[in-house]
Amino acid sequence: MSLASGQPMTSELLDTFDRPLRSLRLSVTDRCNLRCQYCMPEEEYAWLPRDTLLTFEEINVLVSIFAEFGVDRIRLTGGEPLLRRDLPTLIRMIGQHARIQDIALTTNGILLNEQAQALFDAGLHRVTVSLDTLKPDRFKTLTRRETFDRVLEGIAIVEKVGFTGLKIDTVAIKGFNDDELVALIEYGKSVNAEVRFIEYMDVGGANDWSLTKVLSRAEILLQLRQTYGPIEPLIENSSAPAQRFLLSDGTTFGIIPSTTTPFCATCDRSRLTADGFWYLCLYAKQGIDLREPLRLKDLEEVRSRIRSGWGSRTDRGAEDRKNLEQSSMRGRFIEIEKLRQDPRLEMHARGG
Ligand code: SAM
Ligand code: SF4
Ligand code: SF4
């Protein structure tokens, strides 16, 4: 499938709150080699049927159309994106689009040791590794796998193959890893990575979620001040989800306060599942089918669905969830039965 050449850039798309469409998170698989309790608490899921998964060529066509509408940042995610065979080939294809300025990867790190060099050579710009604990026994309890050492090996190799700007993402959970914040920052320093603490979210199958387990931005800062003293917020003009802070020794770190201080007002992100459904919000219950017109080779219909989808976007999912707290209505986001019927409702299908 090829695109008509020399197409003019469609004017930048704005949603109903004047938010542009800039960042696309591409989930390349719904499979994962971990079972993090906050993301995939069960062992088996209703997996996306194999023949519905987009090929690299199909993904690349969609990227090219999204770029016409203003997307300039791509993040490869999953499931575990490094389980998708030959990912460097996709990175090379995406890298051909002049409008795509940034190609990043979020991974659990297990397969980085063997793939980092090929990813770098293919033109991947940045790597984020998710790591929630530095204690092997905790890692095993959280992920139900014994691959902790491989994650550390993966992190260690990132800089060696040439990447800069490594990030480590940690979901901060009360009563689980709230005693490791300082250790994680120190570990980040030792591997030249910026650590970002993510507030625990109630998306998808995070069925163990409760507000009492959320370690808030305020609590994270309070705790870190006890060790590091004054912490300065960095003033940045960015739509990035992380708010960044500076310690007095020059170390920076981030907090992604999705649960207590949602940043929906500036959200320019959307998500594409591995089977070609486009979600306008992490909390969206329904996606827009782009696979159908794509496979019918009706690219004008793909464009039309993107244009009308983003143009009528009203999503402010994390804010809506937060507003429910006032009336004590913040219960389970989606009933388990519904999750079983629609695998795309899961965090691991829509890419986090
Ligand atoms: N498997 C890859 C990984 O773990 O990095 C990529 C996919 S994962 C769904 C993307 C990110 O979502 C990870 O950093 C993970 O920690 C985060 N995540 C998953 N469930 C979450 C939850 N309930 N609350 C906050 N972050 C979550
Ligand atoms: Fe954990 Fe990422 Fe796998 Fe979810 S997709 S279970 S966060 S490694
Ligand atoms: Fe964007 Fe939805 Fe997340 Fe808000 S909840 S920041 S609108 S993806």
Side-chain angles (χ1 to χ4, degrees), residues 38-39 77-81 106-108 130 169 171 198-201 206 347 351-352:
Y38 52 69
C39 177
T77 176
E80 174 44 42
T106 299
T107 171
N108 62 29
S130 303
D169 277 5
V171 182
I198 308 175
E199 287 181 355
Y200 189 8
M201 288 182 271
M347 186 73 140

Side-chain angles (χ1 to χ4, degrees), residues 146-162:
E146 298 198 43
T147 43
F148 177 71
D149 291 344
R150 290 175 67 186
V151 178
L152 294 198
E153 284 162 24
I155 289 174
I157 202 147
V158 171
E159 210 178 32
K160 287 194 189 126
V161 303

Side-chain angles (χ1 to χ4, degrees), residues 197-215:
F197 298 108
I198 308 175
E199 287 181 355
Y200 189 8
M201 288 182 271
D202 53 354
V203 180
N207 52 13
D208 220 13
W209 186 92
S210 79
L211 204 49
T212 57
K213 291 187 184 163
V214 177
L215 191 68

Side-chain angles (χ1 to χ4, degrees), residues 13 17 47-48 90 100 111 135 143 172 196-197 209 217 233 239 260 271-273 307 319:
L13 266 184
F17 294 109
W47 306 108
L48 299 174
L90 177 64
I100 303 297
L111 297 171
K135 300 183 185 223
T143 67
R196 306 190 307 174
F197 298 108
W209 186 92
R217 175 183 64 175
S239 64
T260 67
R271 294 164 165 84
L272 188 70
T273 59
R307 201 180 293 114
E319 285 180 1

Side-chain angles (χ1 to χ4, degrees), residues 19 263-264 267 269 271 281-283 313 315-318:
R19 297 172 295 186
F263 34 84
C264 302
C267 176
R269 283 171 296 285
R271 294 164 165 84
C281 177
L282 190 52
Y283 284 94
R313 179 186 189 236
D315 301 72
R316 296 177 85 114

Side-chain angles (χ1 to χ4, degrees), residues 22 27 31 43 47 66-67 81 88 93 103 113 123 155 168 173-174 180 205 232 236 250 267 282 291 298 300:
R22 298 289 301 279
S27 174
R31 305 284 175 145
E43 198 57 44
W47 306 108
F66 275 109
M93 291 164 103
I103 311 174
N113 200 8
I155 289 174
I168 293 177
I173 302 177
K174 255 187 208 164
E180 290 193 69
E232 294 293 323
E236 294 175 307
C267 176
L282 190 52
R291 186 185 70 231
D298 186 352
E300 269 321 304

